Each structure stands twice: as structure tokens, then as C-alpha cells.
Amino acid sequence: MNRIRIRRPDDWHLHLRDGALLEAVVPATARSFGRAIVMPNLKPPVRTVAEAGAYRDRILAARPAGSRFEPLMTLYLTETTSVDDIREAAESDFVHAVKYYPAGATTNSDSGVRELERAYPAIEAMEKHGVPLLMHGEVTDGDIDVFDREAVFIERHLEKLRSTFPAMKMVLEHATTSDAIDYVNSAPGPTAATITVHHLMFNRNALFEGGLRPHHYCLPLIKRERHRQALLAAATSGNERFFLGTDSAPHPKHAKESDCGCAGVYSAPAAMELYAEVFEAAGALDKLEAFASLNGPAFYGLPPSNETIELRKQPWQMDRELTAGQETIVPLRAGDEIGWRQVG
Ligand code: NCD
Ligand code: ZN
Ligand code: ZN
């Protein structure tokens, strides 16, 4: 197969940042994706419907002329998120989910939740109003190995959360382990996971290939090959519980290439092309549309896009660096060939 036409995909996990960075990165996503779930981990975080509305306006203003890209907004869950905040979110037509970050787990998560039980009133309201809970599923305890943080989160928190709120829509974001895949495959209730393209492309050797590779550093960390195989099997299975979320997370080059570098992979400039590569290598291009364009909308209760995009097997070279205002960003596959290209 040298070309494939699929319904226009959506990105169910995306970081767009703010200011000059926002303006630089929105076009890359809007080129391929009809909609995206926009993460709220700004500084300060997006905590209320009013803040989400203002952020949405800034995103809309950064779209290229003629683009119909639609940002689907999220609120950042804190220990003081109120039942009224959730009701307001449910009543708005642009807030589609609430995001849980364990405090200290990842980029801009200082305002996150320390004791999950303190957020239970808000979570109960989410169950009642049908607002999905999106989770950065990692524990942060210093005595847990960083490669085990996701598996321990599932054991300690996810199972209890699932049984306490059986009807709540839950998404385990950026799943990275076979433990996550096994859990999502067998969990009761509306349970799903997003899978990034970089976790499908790489195992943890990619962090150290010929030297330290800061542009492959993201959270949760890339894991062993057997975990990558489990993610690949899930993504290409057609199972509606698994859908596309790039977790494209731009940081300025100097913040990545640093003695204490930021976590995040900037995949948006070639996200669909790279997913196509991965699905082709797995002999599963026929499953790409379900994963990228159908399963996500079904879970969120939205219609799939009625537009299409076409991808062709037509190699091209990714730039080594991209400009974002005064900053430089290094995209995934920088300076290297990409086998597929979106042509329409
Ligand atoms: C994300 C970011 O930079 O905002 N980083 C990452 O490594 N994935 C945060 C996140 O999704 O955890
Ligand atoms: Zn995360
Ligand atoms: Zn993320």
C-alpha cells in the first residue's frame, strides 16, 4: 500500500503552550488534525471554565487562515476544584475533560493533586455529569523506580478509582507499559488509553543511542522493547479503547539540551506521517483510521470528522530545527527522513 486516505484524525492529548510558542505550534497540528484535546498545564494552570475560554480564544487566533481546527479544552484538577467548577465545565460547550496530574509528576504539575481522595467530590461530580477524567498515571514517590511509576500507579490508584466511580469515563494518558495495556483491556466501565507515536517508535535504548538523547526524554519515560510491543499490539488491534494522543510537548531547545532538561517530545510536525510509518511496519495500515479518527470520537461522544486526509509513501526530510518566535524547537526525527507524507 503506497497511499491511504482516512477520515481526518483528532489528537486526544496535545500541549500547545501559550504566547509565541503557541503561535508557532498550532499550524503543525491544524494541518493534520480536526480537533485536539488541549492539555491545561500552563503556568499558571487552566483551572476554570473562564480560563479555558480565554485560552481557547488565544488558540483560535493562532490558527492559520481558513483553518477549522477545533481545540477541545480541559481543566486542571486541583485539590480545590469544586463541584460547581465541574458542573460549569459540563454545561459549557468547549470543555471536554478534566486532567489529573499527581503533584510533581511532570512539566508544570506543581499545582497537581497530592492526596487523590481530596479530589473525590470533584471526581464524583465528573462521574455524575459525564466529564471524562484524563490521567497522567504515575506515582512520584522517590523510592519507586522511575521506570515503574506507571505500573505502581495502576495498582495503587487506578483500580480503586475505577471501583469507586464505576460509571466515570477514564483515560490513562500516554500509556507506556504492558501493565497499562493489560489494565485497559480488562478494566470494567468506560476505560481507555491514548498512545503516543514516540512510545510506538522507540524502546528505552533510544534515550542513549550513541550518547545521551535529550530530545527522546519525555514522561512517562520510554520503556523496554516488550512494552513497546504491547503498545503496538494495542494501537493496531482496532480495539476502541485505544486511540491516538501525540502528547506533542514542545520545549525550547536550550531547555531540553541542559544539565536539567525538560521532558517532552515535539512530534506535531510529522505526527500522522510517523504513525503511518509505525502502522505500515506492523502491517496494520488498515487499522490506522480506527485508532486515529474513529475510536477517540466514539469515547468522547463526538461525531467523527466528515473530512479526509491522504498520506502517501513519499520520503521527505524533517528540518533540523524549527523557529518559534525568539526560540528554537527540535522536532522528532530532526534532520532525518520520514517515509510518509500527508498530501491532502
Ligand atoms: C509534558 C509537557 O511537557 O507538558 N511532557 C512530557 O514529557 N510528556 C507533560 C506530560 O504530558 O506529562
Ligand atoms: Zn503527562
Ligand atoms: Zn502530555
Side-chain angles (χ1 to χ4, degrees):
M1 219 173 357
N2 288 328
R3 59 171 68 185
I4 176 173
R5 182 168 282 284
I6 58 171
R7 282 189 196 243
R8 186 177 287 285
D10 304 297
D11 185 348
W12 300 97
H13 182 133
L14 176 67
H15 300 272
L16 286 175
R17 314 305 191 200
D18 215 342
L21 213 47
L22 167 71
E23 281 172 32
V25 303
V26 167
T29 289
R31 180 182 67 98
S32 299
F33 297 99
R35 296 165 290 201
I37 282 279
V38 179
M39 291 295 148
N41 62 332
L42 302 182
K43 251 180 171 165
V46 178
R47 277 174 285 204
T48 63
V49 172
E51 287 166 355
Y55 185 31
R56 178 172 179 271
D57 290 342
R58 298 196 293 282
I59 297 167
L60 292 176
R63 292 185 303 184
S67 168
R68 288 194 296 272
F69 170 70
E70 190 189 343
L72 310 175
M73 308 310 292
T74 60
L75 301 187
Y76 188 112
L77 183 71
T78 71
E79 292 178 4
T80 56
T81 301
S82 70
V83 167
D84 284 343
D85 291 330
I86 302 299
R87 188 183 34 76
E88 245 187 87
E91 284 166 2
S92 89
D93 52 9
F94 55 86
V95 175
H96 291 268
V98 173
K99 181 68 190 284
Y100 161 61
Y101 293 96
T106 188
T107 307
N108 298 343
S109 61
D110 336 330
S111 317
V113 175
R114 275 161 226 284
E115 291 284 346
L116 192 50
E117 285 74 10
R118 288 195 205 139
Y120 271 20
I123 296 177
E124 192 177 5
M126 291 170 63
E127 182 183 41
K128 178 175 149 199
H129 293 291
V131 178
L133 178 64
L134 317 183
M135 283 170 291
H136 182 107
E138 289 195 291
V139 296
T140 56
D141 315 41
D143 59 334
I144 304 292
D145 188 282
V146 288
F147 287 94
D148 295 335
R149 286 173 162 199
E150 184 175 273
V152 174
F153 176 84
I154 294 168
E155 209 176 276
R156 284 198 192 159
H157 300 294
L158 205 48
E159 288 169 359
K160 180 170 172 210
L161 209 53
R162 183 66 294 171
S163 58
T164 311
F165 304 103
M168 187 176 58
K169 288 188 183 183
M170 298 195 332
V171 185
L172 185 57
E173 295 296 332
H174 44 43
T176 65
T177 57
S178 62
D179 311 70
I181 299 305
D182 291 347
Y183 178 77
V184 171
N185 264 319
S186 62
T191 311
T194 54
I195 302 178
T196 78
V197 75
H198 47 283
H199 289 98
L200 292 173
M201 290 164 64
F202 301 131
N203 63 38
R204 66 191 197 174
N205 288 354
L207 286 164
F208 310 107
E209 211 165 31
L212 192 59
R213 298 295 192 128
H215 299 291
H216 292 164
Y217 171 56
C218 63
L219 291 170
L221 289 164
I222 294 167
K223 304 296 194 303
R224 287 178 183 276
E225 178 62 11
R226 72 177 175 85
H227 294 295
R228 188 184 78 87
Q229 291 295 340
L231 301 175
L232 198 55
T236 59
S237 66
N239 183 335
E240 57 198 17
R241 290 186 166 202
F242 299 104
F243 41 85
L244 183 157
T246 63
D247 193 17
S248 177
H251 290 277
K253 181 179 175 192
H254 63 81
K256 297 276 302 168
E257 299 177 7
S258 145
D259 63 353
C260 187
C262 294
V265 171
Y266 183 47
S267 56
M272 277 316 297
E273 287 87 348
L274 291 169
Y275 276 111
E277 270 192 26
V278 165
F279 274 64
E280 184 197 21
L285 274 174
D286 61 323
K287 296 294 199 307
L288 184 61
E289 185 175 48
F291 177 74
S293 318
L294 304 176
N295 297 348
F299 183 85
Y300 276 85
L302 296 168
S305 173
N306 49 27
E307 298 174 14
T308 61
I309 66 163
E310 184 174 332
L311 294 151
R312 279 197 201 156
K313 209 166 170 181
Q314 195 180 93
W316 58 288
Q317 189 110 6
M318 174 59 79
D319 289 338
R320 298 185 71 82
E321 299 183 343
L322 304 167
T323 308
Q326 312 279 70
E327 301 285 4
T328 299
I329 323 176
V330 178
L332 183 56
R333 224 12 121 62
D336 285 340
E337 193 176 283
I338 296 186
W340 286 76
R341 179 160 218 162
Q342 184 184 326
V343 295

